[in-house]
Structures are given as structure tokens and as C-alpha cells.
Amino acid sequence: MSLSSVRTPPGDVGTTPAEVAKAAHKWADSEGEVVVKSQILAGGRGLGTFKSGLKGGVHVCKADNAESLASKMLGETLVTKQSGPEGKPVNVLYVAQKMQLSREMYFAIVLDRATAGPMVIACAEGGTSIEDLAERYPDKIIKVPVNAVEGMTEAQAQQIVDGLECKTEHGDAKEQVKALYEMFNKLDCTMVEVNPLAEGPDGKLIAADAKLNFDDNAGYRQKELFAMRDESQEDQREVAAAKADLNYIGLDGEIGCMVNGAGLAMATMDIIKLHGGTPANFLDVGGAASEEQITEAFKIITADPRVKALLVNIFGGIMKCDVIAGGIVAAASNMELKIPLIVRLEGTNVERGKEILRESGLNLIAADDLDDAAKKAVVALGA
């Protein structure tokens, strides 16, 4: 079974109005219409609004009007319920053949912690979010765990098709379900969500729209796939952090956090919140960060205009406190840091690390432990 076995609406992508016009005339139906879809990394496109005022990120239009429509969509920013208020830039449009769909369903494959493997979630209703479906049709949602080693069995495929309430073409429906699982497996997906999975007039299933997530750790064997990554769709701070081999996630708070270790990062954010502050980010420099990486971490954190204080919380095991201290001094000196800097160090070479900080002449706030550091960071917001 090949990945091309998954049935999808035929179409082409366009990055310019002229390309969109060409694709529109190629895929126009008997009524001269096509579907023009914004390609962004966010859901809810159809109900989204461009910052220019244009309503909808997905349009059915006459092929003759596609070029004019594309000029209003390409290069603009689309805001949806999943994009956040900043929205996402529309650099690519997908021009698809308008399909005649007789019924819409929901289908997804996700990784399930409880069963430690793939889980198929299916519902005979579709076209809206799974949260809405779970509220309106709880009895129609089925969950089928799949053994990651053995793969999907014939009986499981039949169970899923029965759950989707396919009326005809059961054999073809099972092949489509198995093809979707094969794609999930071969492309190292962490999620495949097809919504809607629809029946055409002939009763055969069509993956009418979909979202796919991929395992970042599989980049080395999915090179062709990862080469299609569009960094314009991502938080530029997270892109910069990945290039510096740092783990960063932007949040909405005022206290920037630089920590080593994911567990310590989570604890740091929790304690900041406990004392009345809000973390601005999750940033883990890892166990062997260099001075250059620490400098880059400072740049990424302080690039957020909401950050009013910076808390460095390092527990030195593999990571040595004197190396961290040297990096802090270099970063703060080169950047002329203008916000309060709170530092807590503990572990390997901690005394030497503290000595480096004391001798630096930097105006920083030393903390004895994590609780003390969080309190001082919150107080520093009002300084």
C-alpha cells in the first residue's frame, strides 16, 4: 500500500495570484468553481478574518475570480480561533477541485499515553471540532487502540468503518482507513486529523481536509518532509532557539526564565505563579550549554517586550555553575541588560560561579534558593 492510496481532493498550490489563476482554470468544476484555501499552521481558517478585513480564509469562487481573490489573501495575515490575535501570514494558497460530499465524518490518529501507542478516534458526525462533537454526540465517538508493532488489523479497520457508519463501499472504506494508518506510521506522525472525512456521491471516502503533526526527532529520516517546513508560520523566538539548540516556548507573562532541565523549568514557572508572578517563557538551556548559547538565550528572552525581569535558575550537575556564571556575565555585559536580573545557582562549582558573578560588577540580584528567587523576581517587577 502506498501513501498515494489516501484519496484527497485534487488541486495545486499557488504562491502568486497568477499561479492561483492557472490552477483555478485547471481544476474548475462543471460550474466553473474551485475552492481556494489559505495554507497556515492553524485551524478554523474558514471562519477566520484577515487583518485587512476580508472574511474567511477558505473561499469557493469562480475560476475567473480566483486571481483577484488571491491578491487579497496572499501576503496578508489571517486570524483564526487557533492562531492567536497575532494571526498567521498567508504565503501559500491551495486551489482544489470542489467536491460533492454527501456526508461528513471525523477521523484522527493520535499517540495515546495510556496504551503507549496509536489511538484511532472516529465519529460518524464531522465538519466541526472534536470537542464540539464529544459534547453533542458522545455515544458516536469510538476509540480503537492499535498495537504499534503489529499494526492495524482487519478487524480493527472493520470496527472503525462500522463506527463511521459507512453505508456502502465497506471494502474501499477499510482500505482508506488502513492507508491513513500507514501514512501515520511511515511519516513518523504524532497526529493525523481528517476533518471532514467525507463520503462522495459514489459512497467512497475522501480525506477532504486534514492536519498532520510530525515527530521532531524523526527529521533525520524524513528529510524531504522537513525540507517543506515554513518558518514564517512559527514563533520566531522558537525558531531562533532551535537553531541555537535551546528548548524554548513563549508564554504571556512578565518574568523571563532561563533554567536547565525541563522538570526544573516547570517547577520554576509554578513557583513564580505561586508568588503572584507570571512566567514569560519556558527556556531550557540543557545540560551542556556554552557561553554562546547562554547569550543567545538572553537575547531570545529579552526580545519579548512583555518581559520585565529575568530569572536564571541553574542546578549544576553536568552543567557547571562557573560556566553558567561566565555566560551570564558575557551576555548581560554585551547586551547592556536593562531589566532586573535574578540569579540562583546551586551544584557543581557553585562557589566559583558566585564569585564570578560578584566580581563582574553587574547589578544583579542573588537568590539563595528557588523560592527566594521567585519571590525576588516578583518583587523586581515593581522596581
Side-chain angles (χ1 to χ4, degrees):
M1 181 181 298
S2 67
L3 298 182
S4 60
S5 300
V6 178
R7 191 177 294 115
T8 59
D12 290 310
V13 297
T15 57
T16 67
E19 289 178 354
V20 170
K22 182 179 179 181
H25 285 97
K26 176 181 176 181
W27 296 111
D29 65 5
S30 58
E31 297 176 350
E33 292 185 331
V34 291
V35 183
V36 180
K37 298 184 176 184
S38 301
Q39 299 297 284
I40 62 170
L41 292 184
R45 294 167 299 162
L47 297 176
T49 302
F50 285 90
K51 287 190 174 181
S52 64
L54 178 66
K55 301 289 186 182
V58 178
H59 292 266
V60 177
C61 71
K62 294 290 185 181
D64 290 341
N65 298 332
E67 184 170 7
S68 174
L69 177 63
S71 67
K72 299 175 184 177
M73 299 171 72
L74 288 169
E76 298 293 338
T77 300
L78 178 62
V79 180
T80 78
K81 63 181 181 180
Q82 291 186 16
S83 71
E86 68 279 2
K88 298 286 185 182
V90 177
N91 302 321
V92 180
L93 297 175
Y94 185 62
V95 184
Q97 188 177 90
K98 191 174 77 169
M99 308 298 290
Q100 298 298 321
L101 307 177
S102 59
R103 191 168 69 90
E104 296 184 348
M105 298 153 281
Y106 179 92
F107 177 93
I109 309 173
V110 297
L111 292 176
D112 180 54
R113 286 184 181 273
T115 60
M119 175 76 75
V120 175
I121 302 172
C123 182
E125 305 291 334
T128 187
S129 71
I130 187 62
E131 293 83 3
D132 292 339
L133 294 172
E135 184 177 348
R136 295 171 60 192
Y137 308 104
D139 297 336
K140 290 193 174 186
I141 294 177
I142 65 164
K143 298 179 180 180
V144 181
V146 179
N147 185 295
V149 177
E150 297 176 1
M152 182 178 290
T153 66
E154 192 73 16
Q156 288 173 328
Q158 184 63 60
Q159 180 184 355
I160 294 164
V161 169
D162 290 342
L164 291 170
E165 298 180 8
C166 296
K167 306 301 181 185
T168 61
E169 301 291 344
H170 277 214
D172 179 80
K174 284 193 292 183
E175 290 304 308
Q176 285 296 294
V177 166
K178 288 189 286 186
L180 285 163
Y181 179 78
E182 189 75 6
M183 178 182 70
F184 175 89
N185 189 44
K186 284 188 175 180
L187 295 184
D188 291 295
C189 295
T190 57
M191 181 192 78
V192 170
E193 183 183 51
V194 183
N195 189 22
L197 177 65
E199 281 184 348
D202 57 2
K204 293 184 177 180
L205 295 185
I206 302 167
D209 203 359
K211 295 181 197 171
L212 283 76
N213 287 347
F214 306 95
D215 185 353
D216 289 338
N217 297 309
Y220 72 96
R221 67 180 173 214
Q222 301 290 350
K223 293 180 180 178
E224 183 178 355
L225 186 64
F226 277 69
M228 294 187 284
R229 179 180 177 183
D230 181 1
E231 292 182 349
S232 72
Q233 296 292 316
E234 303 175 43
D235 186 321
Q236 293 307 299
R237 297 167 300 177
E238 294 181 17
V239 173
K243 289 179 179 178
D245 201 21
L246 301 168
N247 298 308
Y248 174 92
I249 299 173
L251 302 173
D252 297 326
E254 296 180 305
I255 299 176
C257 306
M258 190 182 85
V259 186
N260 66 321
L264 188 59
M266 296 297 290
T268 301
M269 293 191 295
D270 285 346
I271 293 180
I272 287 172
K273 193 73 174 176
L274 178 67
H275 290 298
T278 51
N281 63 271
F282 169 109
L283 193 147
D284 172 15
V285 297
S290 63
E291 288 190 12
E292 291 76 15
Q293 286 176 298
I294 295 167
T295 299
E296 189 62 29
F298 269 49
K299 289 179 181 177
I300 292 167
I301 292 172
T302 56
D304 185 345
R306 290 173 293 196
V307 173
K308 301 296 188 292
L310 201 166
L311 192 160
V312 177
N313 181 28
I314 298 295
F315 185 85
I318 299 173
M319 171 63 72
K320 295 179 175 61
C321 292
D322 56 334
V323 174
I324 283 288
I328 292 171
V329 171
S333 300
N334 294 335
M335 295 176 57
E336 298 182 358
L337 198 65
K338 292 182 173 58
I339 59 175
L341 173 61
I342 302 91
V343 181
R344 178 258 180 162
L345 300 178
E346 191 58 73
T348 307
N349 296 350
V350 64
E351 292 306 323
R352 176 55 187 153
K354 290 181 178 180
E355 183 181 353
I356 291 171
L357 294 177
R358 282 195 301 269
E359 295 175 351
S360 69
L362 291 174
N363 184 23
L364 56 82
I365 302 168
D368 297 324
D369 53 42
L370 176 52
D371 197 61
D372 183 43
K375 289 178 180 176
K376 287 178 175 176
V378 173
V379 170
L381 292 176

